[in-house]
Amino acid sequence: MSKAARGPNEKLGTLLALAGISNAGLARRVNDLGSQRGLTLRYDKTSVARWVSKGMVPQGAAPHLIAAAIGQKLGRPVPLHEIGLADADPAPEVGLAFPRDVGDAVRSATDLWRLDLAGRRDFLAGSFAVTAYATPASRWLITPADGSVARHVTEPTSQRVGHSDVSKLREAAEDARRWDSKYGGGDWRSGMVPECLRVEAAPLLLGAYSDEVGRSLFGATAELTRLAGWMAFDTGQQEAAQRYYIQALRLARAAADVPLGGYVLASMSLQATYRGFADEGVDLAQAALERNRGLATARTMSFFHLVEARAHAKAGEAAACGTAIGAAEAQLERSRKGDPDPSWLGFYSYDRLAADAAECYRDLGAPLQVRRFTEKAMASPTEEFVRSHGLRLVVSAVAELELGNLDAACAVGTRALEVAGRISSARTTEYVRDLLHRLEPYGNDTRVMELRERARPLLAAPA
């Protein structure tokens, strides 16, 4: 259904011409984007003609899908007002702002938390746009910490927040990290993180607290929000992840926690790299590094260098990647047991460095290096990081295949499938899918056919 005509929508027509999209092309793109979000849309070139020539406004998610479709072609976000649809439901814009004011930042974050992203596919109408990270990153670089964040509320019903309240949030974050590593971002327990933000964290941020308690509170909520983004990223909900990451970075600024802000930027970098925006991934990782020089621990800086290496590898920059891996190794060697490393870095050790280095060399097409680092990464597998173990197995299988060892590739691939079947992770499934794609030239081989048959339940499972 569409709202009544308002006269020709010249803005939409102009932008379609600028993007070089025909009426039929836009209809197809909108239908495809809707299908990706579980929506059944049947727009055609006549529908688009009505939007342009008669100014009809499509209802539901369609205006945001139109903006997303045009934005994909132009390579930048397209706001609704630019296509003459500013009076559509503004909800899908929630979570993309990086307010300068602390009070506005609280509203921006809590507005996002109140929305059930998993249950509102119409809300997630905008596609991932790496350019949406530009303003948050630049504002954080210019001012990585707010002034006083104390909140004085006179209403007698307002909650007074103390350190014990913050401790509960930190415990929840620690539990969530363990769940995520062991069961994947799609495990049912992962839904407890958004619920914790809505039910527990939001009332605390709207309560009364001193500057000291407030900083700690903003830090804890930033950790939880980043975790919600990471879990969304792991399950393929890229739009939700992007919104959570932006709000996590803003909360980290309110916490005056520069290393945590760097960690959020590193998460943004990994997402950008994964989505094919390697240059932007390099920029985000380097932003984390530059702001944290002299502030973060050696182990923290090592991780940021490693994230930078991942982006360089995806961009095909072998020399820069090697330099970044070398810097990551050097920083990790400098780290000491008594260093004040943040709790959220508990996952990071040489095993993780070796695993990511293996992925770097996979992207650079150097299977011998992949094998060398994978052997180091898998020297001491642990049940605590099940998803990581599964990903390492897939990367190892790819290396063996590229080295001409089909039997070893299928054997390791079978082990990877056993692990993948125990977790809920869209990323892991994509890694498996990539391995099977690489095995297609050997499709008639019995070992490959058996592996493909074993993978069928995993690939058929709903995302």
Side-chain angles (χ1 to χ4, degrees):
M1 295 291 292
S2 298
K3 295 180 182 178
R6 307 170 301 172
N9 187 340
E10 296 179 356
K11 289 184 177 181
L12 178 57
T14 299
L15 212 58
L16 282 176
L18 179 64
I21 303 176
S22 66
N23 287 2
L26 178 63
R28 183 177 62 255
R29 288 168 182 263
V30 169
N31 291 341
D32 288 346
L33 286 173
S35 178
Q36 293 171 21
R37 291 154 181 81
L39 304 175
T40 301
L41 303 176
R42 295 185 176 84
Y43 294 117
D44 55 23
K45 63 181 181 181
T46 304
S47 307
V48 179
R50 293 194 188 101
W51 301 341
V52 176
S53 62
K54 297 184 178 180
M56 289 186 172
V57 180
Q59 295 184 346
H64 306 281
L65 294 170
I66 294 168
I70 298 174
Q72 283 183 339
K73 188 69 184 293
L74 294 176
R76 63 174 176 80
V78 173
L80 292 177
H81 68 77
E82 192 174 354
I83 55 174
L85 297 173
D87 54 349
D89 177 15
E93 302 302 316
V94 173
L96 294 175
F98 191 90
R100 290 188 172 88
D101 178 74
V102 176
D104 290 340
V106 170
R107 282 188 288 275
S108 182
T110 53
D111 283 350
L112 177 65
W113 300 341
R114 289 191 185 102
L115 291 165
D116 179 10
L117 300 191
R120 285 202 58 188
R121 298 191 180 192
D122 63 317
F123 170 77
L124 298 177
S127 294
F128 169 82
V130 73
T131 49
Y133 283 149
T135 295
S138 62
R139 288 187 181 175
W140 182 83
L141 281 168
I142 294 168
T143 311
D146 288 301
S148 176
V149 296
R151 195 166 189 270
H152 305 288
V153 183
T154 57
E155 290 84 352
T157 57
S158 297
Q159 180 174 356
R160 297 201 64 80
V161 184
H163 285 295
S164 61
D165 298 301
V166 178
S167 294
K168 292 178 182 178
L169 295 182
R170 294 198 183 280
E171 289 173 10
E174 187 60 37
D175 287 343
R177 278 191 287 270
R178 286 195 295 269
W179 297 331
D180 173 63
S181 295
K182 194 168 185 178
Y183 301 108
D187 182 74
W188 66 268
R189 281 158 286 207
S190 300
M192 295 171 65
V193 176
E195 182 70 9
C196 181
L197 288 168
R198 282 193 296 271
V199 177
E200 303 293 340
L204 294 178
L205 284 181
L206 297 172
Y209 38 82
S210 66
D211 181 64
E212 179 189 4
V213 171
R215 298 289 187 193
S216 185
L217 174 61
F218 278 109
T221 53
E223 284 188 48
L224 278 166
T225 305
R226 193 214 69 86
L227 272 167
W230 179 257
M231 291 171 176
F233 167 61
D234 189 49
T235 54
Q237 301 175 68
Q238 303 300 332
E239 301 93 335
Q242 184 165 48
R243 288 166 167 79
Y244 280 126
Y245 284 158
I246 290 171
Q247 297 313 304
L249 185 64
R250 183 60 188 88
L251 293 167
R253 187 171 100 163
D257 192 333
V258 179
L260 178 56
Y263 186 36
V264 178
L265 284 171
S267 300
M268 292 176 168
S269 172
L270 288 170
Q271 185 190 29
T273 300
Y274 180 81
R275 297 289 292 171
F277 299 96
D279 287 342
E280 290 82 354
V282 171
D283 292 339
L284 289 163
Q286 290 181 345
L289 283 163
E290 289 305 316
R291 255 303 172 187
N292 275 282
R293 295 191 192 281
L295 290 174
T297 64
R299 194 151 69 110
T300 305
M301 293 296 283
S302 173
F303 178 67
F304 294 164
H305 278 296
L306 187 61
V307 172
E308 179 192 12
R310 292 291 301 270
H312 282 307
K314 188 64 74 172
E317 300 166 347
C321 175
T323 299
I325 290 175
E329 290 181 305
Q331 288 282 7
L332 197 54
E333 288 173 1
R334 289 195 199 103
S335 66
R336 296 293 178 266
K337 190 173 182 179
D339 290 348
D341 293 316
S343 60
W344 42 258
L345 198 63
F347 68 91
Y348 187 59
S349 64
Y350 189 79
D351 290 349
R352 172 61 187 265
L353 187 152
D356 279 43
E359 294 206 38
C360 288
Y361 287 112
R362 175 205 59 189
D363 292 340
L364 291 170
L368 284 174
Q369 288 282 61
V370 175
R371 176 191 278 173
R372 180 169 74 88
F373 276 105
T374 299
E375 288 175 350
K376 294 179 180 179
M378 299 179 65
S380 54
T382 172
E383 278 296 304
E384 187 178 357
F385 303 109
V386 176
R387 179 183 52 215
S388 294
H389 185 56
L391 294 175
R392 293 170 193 182
L393 286 169
V394 178
V395 173
S396 176
V398 170
E400 293 303 326
L401 178 63
E402 293 187 351
L403 289 168
N405 302 322
L406 181 61
D407 191 55
C410 291
V412 177
T414 299
R415 290 164 56 198
L417 285 175
E418 292 172 357
V419 176
R422 294 157 50 194
I423 60 177
S424 179
S425 166
R427 279 191 304 138
T428 303
T429 301
E430 284 305 310
Y431 274 50
V432 170
R433 201 183 302 276
D434 174 65
L435 172 61
L436 294 175
H437 175 71
R438 293 170 187 262
L439 285 166
E440 284 181 357
Y442 313 94
N444 293 326
D445 188 283
T446 302
R447 293 160 296 182
V448 176
M449 288 190 288
E450 289 178 355
L451 185 65
R452 189 175 296 279
E453 187 62 29
R454 285 176 179 269
R456 193 182 302 278
L458 177 69
L459 301 181

